[in-house]
Amino acid sequence: MRKISFAEFGGPEVLRLVEAEEPHAGPDRIRIAVRAAGVNPVDWRIREGQVLGAHPVSLPAGVGLDAAGVVDEVGAGVEGIEVGDRVFGEGIDTYAEFAVLSAWARMPDGLTFEEAAGYPSVVETALRVLREVGVRPGQTLLVSGASGGVGSAVLQIARVRGIAVIGTAGAANQDYLRSLGALATTYDKGWVERVRHLGRVDAALDLAGSGVISELVGLTGDPRKVVSIADLGAPRWGVRFSGAAGDVRDALAEAVALISRGTLHIPVEKSYALSEAAAAHTDSRAGHTRGRRVLVV
């Protein structure tokens, strides 16, 4: 089979499309014929060697956590799923023609493989950081870097929970944030005062890693009310860096429920061929994403 691999840490140029042995489903796992794989910032952070504590890597290594596809092997102990089922979920080395998943759910009706591949990690992350930051119904959450996949999920889940959101993003994504129910402003000069003008901030999330931790602490008045998923230096300010995934299966179940009710939709901004993984990483690292980027296998 074909898969994306890298033999050394570095820039996107280290990614190679190689021939590899097919993986197989062990106990409590399933294998899918991958139709699409989600591109997450953690993918290029792993490739660069940034987050080895949370994601140990033995080189050469594959890439990718999220995928959607068709079940073609079911491991021992797995119940309620059959060969031929359309699923989405999380596993390892998903930038490939076949991948083994450790957490999965059946795809909701009406969802394409490309769309489905964009949900698993971002919904788990969104649910986790909302829990960790401790924001409650009736309060206001500030989301820095709100237009990407995690931000799109946070805004919609917050709206369902009765949490008001102020989101920052580039000028081109202001209407998009408003369409998700957020008060929106750009993150250029004067953004802190514009946020203050929009209202009180009870808690804040840093999703972009753009060096705004001190400002978020100032706006909330408490570093314990700020969580970052993107700035490894956040703990210097007393701010929690959230990197370890929670219960992905529970997150997928909640995602299915939200999608099925029409209260969660994460658009695919751009699709790439498997051979274009390096370009997908370059674009992901540049930011300014509206929704998700995926590889089509």
Side-chain angles (χ1 to χ4, degrees):
M1 72 164 189
R2 298 180 306 152
K3 68 180 288 188
I4 296 294
S5 179
F6 63 101
E8 60 182 318
F9 297 113
E13 69 279 358
V14 303
L15 296 177
R16 297 284 186 270
L17 182 61
V18 301
E19 289 291 331
E21 292 186 8
E22 294 181 7
H24 294 283
D28 302 318
R29 300 288 187 268
I30 63 171
R31 188 179 82 166
I32 64 170
V34 178
R35 297 291 183 262
V39 176
N40 296 300
V42 71
D43 298 343
W44 51 260
R45 289 184 185 276
I46 292 171
R47 188 207 71 225
E48 293 180 354
Q50 287 190 32
V51 288
L52 299 182
H55 299 275
V57 171
S58 297
L59 298 174
V63 190
L65 300 174
D66 292 349
V70 179
V71 178
D72 80 337
E73 282 186 7
V74 177
V78 174
E79 298 179 352
I81 206 78
E82 298 178 354
V83 170
D85 286 346
R86 294 156 51 97
V87 300
F88 67 136
E90 190 171 293
I92 59 171
D93 301 353
T94 58
Y95 292 17
E97 292 179 321
F98 295 93
V100 172
L101 301 185
S102 55
W104 60 85
R106 284 192 177 85
M107 286 170 46
D109 292 340
L111 213 59
T112 68
F113 286 118
E114 290 177 52
E115 291 170 328
Y119 282 89
S121 288
V122 298
V123 174
E124 185 283 319
T125 302
L127 292 168
R128 170 169 29 101
V129 295
L130 282 168
R131 181 176 65 252
E132 290 174 350
V133 83
V135 64
R136 301 187 301 275
Q139 293 187 323
T140 298
L141 173 69
L142 171 62
V143 181
S144 175
S147 65
V150 176
S152 298
V154 164
L155 267 56
Q156 294 172 78
I157 295 168
R159 181 168 62 182
V160 169
R161 294 180 176 183
I163 298 164
V165 179
I166 300 170
T168 68
N173 288 325
Q174 297 295 292
D175 286 343
Y176 174 65
L177 297 190
R178 295 186 186 103
S179 75
L180 299 182
L183 296 172
T185 189
T186 56
Y187 47 65
D188 50 8
K189 184 177 179 180
W191 73 269
V192 171
E193 288 309 311
R194 291 197 298 277
V195 167
R196 291 189 191 279
H197 181 72
L198 289 171
R200 170 179 170 171
V201 174
D202 297 295
L205 298 175
D206 166 41
L207 307 183
S210 54
V212 297
I213 297 295
S214 63
E215 289 88 345
L216 299 182
V217 171
L219 285 163
T220 62
D222 185 350
R224 295 170 299 179
K225 301 303 294 180
V226 181
V227 171
S228 176
I229 65 167
D231 190 333
L232 295 174
R236 294 199 307 267
W237 301 93
V239 167
R240 180 172 187 164
F241 179 83
S242 183
D247 192 318
V248 179
R249 295 196 186 207
D250 282 354
L252 287 169
E254 186 155 353
V256 169
L258 292 167
I259 294 165
S260 300
R261 291 200 300 266
T263 53
L264 177 63
H265 173 69
I266 304 176
V268 176
E269 177 172 327
K270 188 173 180 179
S271 300
Y272 305 77
L274 185 60
S275 60
E276 297 174 315
H281 277 208
T282 298
D283 293 346
S284 175
R285 204 183 198 295
H288 310 294
T289 300
R290 179 183 300 185
R292 301 289 282 121
R293 301 180 186 275
V294 299
L295 301 177
V296 178
V297 181

